Amino acid sequence: MEASLDLLAGTLAQFLSIYTVILIIRILLSWFPNINWFDPPFSILTQLTDPYLNLFRSFIPPLGGLDLSPMAAILVLQLVSGLI
């Protein structure tokens, strides 16, 4: 039983690490205005990250055109990962 919980925790921690990297890639690519987010592979990134980021965008408004919600999203992922 304990081994299966360790496996589950390890798998979840690995998933959170991979998702954090995907979020960082999405954030870095957002600095390039000529990217068409509707073309693959960028549309896949958008589909994977926007639902999670939209949770934070709903209560953290952009300040002066700067979207701070990705920083909060990554912070929450790091906190959850640390708890696991």
Side-chain angles (χ1 to χ4, degrees), residues 2-84:
E2 186 176 326
S4 62
L5 287 177
D6 289 341
L7 178 63
L8 179 64
T11 303
L12 187 57
Q14 186 67 29
F15 170 77
L16 291 176
S17 296
I18 292 170
Y19 195 74
T20 302
V21 169
I22 290 171
L23 274 176
I24 291 171
I25 291 170
R26 167 77 159 96
I27 293 164
L28 292 175
L29 286 175
S30 71
W31 293 348
F32 298 98
N34 59 347
I35 290 179
N36 184 359
W37 292 104
F38 299 106
D39 289 339
F42 305 116
S43 63
I44 296 169
L45 267 176
T46 313
Q47 291 172 359
L48 287 174
T49 58
D50 276 359
Y52 180 65
L53 290 174
N54 287 339
L55 293 172
F56 296 93
R57 288 178 180 145
S58 65
F59 63 88
I60 301 175
L63 301 172
L66 184 63
D67 186 13
L68 299 176
S69 60
M71 290 191 323
I74 290 175
L75 178 66
V76 168
L77 279 179
Q78 293 298 314
L79 289 172
V80 170
S81 186
L83 291 174
I84 294 173

